[in-house]
Structure formats: C-alpha cells, structure tokens
Amino acid sequence: MIFWILFSSLFNTSGCSKNDGIPITNPPYGIVGTDLIKLEDAINHSDIGFANLVNQVRGSVGTSGPASKVIWSTKNDYNLGLYISANHVFGVDTWDSNEESYFDLTRVNNGIFLGSQLPKLNGNVQLGNELIADFKLYHPKIPLSATNATIFPESDFYLGIIDNQRVIDNGLAIYPNSVQTGQALQIYDPNNRTTSSQTWSNVLVNDTILVVGYPQDRTNYPNGAVSTGTVLSDSEAATAIELLKAKGDVEGEIPYKPIVEFVAKAEAISGMSGGGVFNSEGQLVGISVRATTLNSQPIVRVIRITYIRQELASFYNNLPSTDKDKLRPFIHGEL
C-alpha cells in the first residue's frame, strides 16, 4: 500500500517583517512573478514566450497519487520514462529497506496504476481519468530517523520508470503487468525535451525557473499549475533558513546544503511535491520538495538534478557488474 504526505511543512504564514533579508526582484517574463497559475491559463497566456515554455515541458509532469512526478528523460535503452519524485510522496517507511537500493525490473514487478497520470498524448489540457503504469527503480539511503515530515532534501527523492500500460481509473488499486520494454513511451513532448541532447541543467543565481505540478486543490487547479520565480544565492538561501528557524518555522530545522538543493522565490502548494522545476530553456533543473513563506513571499526548496544525477552515478559505479547490467538499460542515456 502506498502512503503520501505532501509538502510536510505546508505554509507558515506567521508575521514576517519587511527586513527579513530576502530581496525583491523583478518578476520573470514581466507577468507572473511568484503567482500560481492554473495550467490551462498558462498555455493560453498572452505572453507567448511563457506559454510556449509551459507547453514545452508540461507533458512530462504528471501525478503520483495526490502529488507530482516529472519525467527526466526517455533516452534509456528502452525509451521508457525515467522519472523522479519525492520520497515523502511515496512514504519513507513504505520502502522495504532504508539502505540505498534499486529494483531489478526484469525480475520484480512493483508496478501500480493507482494515482499515476500523465497529460494526454494529443496535448489536451484536460487530465482525464486514464492511469499509466508506475514502477519504482531506485532510492538513496534514508536515515532510520527520517519521517515524511522531517526527511532532509538529500534523501527526499527516488527514481522510477513509466511504460505504456494504461487503464481507466476505477478508484481501486490496479496493478500492471511487468514493465513493458518493447515499445517506446508515448507522451506529449512537442519539443522533444525528454530526448534532447541535454535534458537537464544546473542553475545560477537569479536564473528564472518554472515550477510545474499538480496541487491537491483540484477545484482551482484541476489540470495542474505553474509558477515562475528566481533562484536565490547560497548566502540568501542560508539567511532565509536561519530567519525561518528564528521564527519557529519547521523549515528552519532543515539545514540548507547548496550541493543538494537551491532555494527560489516561487509559489508551490500541497500536491506539487515531486513536480518538475525547469529553466527558461525547458531543461530540468530539479524537483520541488518543500515550501513556506518569508517576508510574505513564497519560497520553494528544490533538489538539484545535478545532485540526483551524482548520487545515481555513484551508486551505479559501485555496483557489481551483474547488477550494473540490470540497472543500466533503464538509466543509460543520462549517465
């Protein structure tokens, strides 16, 4: 059984003074700033550059139960969807082991349809009720003391595989056949983002980012939501965490580690955990995992794709050759 908890800190809206140390920058694109916009409004926005960027990436962001996930790449040997989501979305005590590990998907069927969706192949913004198969592939080491609410960003991610098995949602836990490797994943990817030579990128201070996910608030955001924002410097991020700690916000208890994450001034709400964060070129830069407010400004913590890739590569390189042969086909193309 799968359990989910989303943005465990939620939003601390206690009074924040105007001298809290987070600078106000010009909103990217001149239109959005940190506001959250429902997906259907974003792809029809009058700012064509913004609308095109959203359309370029939205097909690779889907749901994971009442939360989110993002396809990093489809460049593996089977051209299936190698996706990333947050460990607190899946549930840290749902894994068989807290030790860093992978699943041999040629022998183990851990797939499930429940809550797993992607946008329609034709690009229709209506998410609909079609489910797609979801297989867990790899997770980093998770401290025994970690809970869904206290897990640090360095442990708060996992990778999985999506194939073409699809069913209509009937509200029950439906299980797919073993992962199907004979057909490339069919997704809405009008600019071939998931097969491009560089699907991911690092970020720099003041870079514009686009946050995409599926809020639990399906009344106001029935088909997903996006926001834009700017990346804070490491010193600004560290200052923000210290200020949150002083104010009693739980985010202040989660240390900032610049090699693992970055902090951006952007909006994200419950359900967007595990969703994709992209740069202005449409490259994946990370996944959103935690959010709060400071100085009445929303901020989001993002696990860097560079860190996720580094951890996966280190794990893979230390495997025996027989295990490498089992894992390689699913991650080849990004390592």
Side-chain angles (χ1 to χ4, degrees), residues 249-280:
D249 189 306
V250 67
E251 287 307 310
E253 303 302 320
I254 307 293
Y256 174 69
K257 296 184 178 180
I259 193 173
V260 173
E261 63 177 322
F262 65 88
V263 175
K265 214 158 40 139
E267 180 89 8
I269 61 176
S270 268
M272 295 178 72
S273 287
V277 181
F278 304 89
N279 64 16
S280 57

Side-chain angles (χ1 to χ4, degrees), residues 97-303:
S97 169
N98 282 53
E99 293 301 314
E100 185 176 31
S101 56
Y102 85 100
F103 295 92
D104 177 4
L105 295 183
T106 63
R107 296 173 57 90
V108 175
N109 183 356
N110 61 18
I112 194 168
F113 284 108
L114 186 65
S116 177
Q117 291 185 280
L118 286 177
K120 293 181 178 180
L121 296 178
N122 62 8
N124 190 320
V125 72
Q126 302 296 322
L127 193 58
N129 62 350
E130 184 181 70
L131 302 177
I132 192 164
D134 177 316
F135 299 84
K136 306 300 182 286
L137 180 66
Y138 159 84
H139 70 79
K141 184 173 182 178
I142 303 169
L144 292 174
S145 60
T147 67
N148 291 331
T150 64
I151 189 169
F152 287 3
E154 57 258 42
S155 302
D156 199 8
F157 70 92
Y158 72 91
L159 276 69
I161 292 293
I162 300 172
D163 69 12
N164 282 304
Q165 296 180 78
R166 290 174 165 88
V167 297
I168 298 302
D169 187 4
N170 65 5
L172 301 175
I174 311 172
Y175 300 93
N177 295 320
S178 296
V179 63
Q180 304 294 295
T181 59
Q183 180 187 20
L185 177 66
Q186 304 298 304
I187 60 171
Y188 179 67
D189 191 7
N191 293 80
N192 301 312
R193 187 201 72 77
T194 63
T195 58
S196 64
S197 60
Q198 188 70 24
T199 61
W200 57 276
S201 182
N202 201 354
V203 291
L204 301 175
V205 178
N206 291 327
D207 275 358
T208 295
I209 58 160
L210 181 75
V211 183
V212 186
Y214 286 86
Q216 283 185 320
D217 179 1
R218 293 298 174 85
T219 300
N220 291 309
Y221 306 101
N223 305 295
V226 302
S227 70
T228 62
T230 50
V231 177
L232 301 182
S233 69
D234 288 340
S235 62
E236 289 168 342
T239 297
I241 300 304
E242 287 301 313
L243 290 167
L244 290 168
K245 183 175 183 178
K247 291 177 178 298
D249 189 306
V250 67
E251 287 307 310
E253 303 302 320
I254 307 293
Y256 174 69
K257 296 184 178 180
I259 193 173
V260 173
E261 63 177 322
F262 65 88
V263 175
K265 214 158 40 139
E267 180 89 8
I269 61 176
S270 268
M272 295 178 72
S273 287
V277 181
F278 304 89
N279 64 16
S280 57
E281 302 299 316
Q283 296 166 320
L284 185 66
V285 296
I287 62 166
S288 54
V289 288
R290 306 182 69 92
T292 189
T293 57
L294 182 62
N295 190 23
S296 300
Q297 293 287 321
I299 58 175
V300 60
R301 300 177 74 151
V302 179
I303 304 177

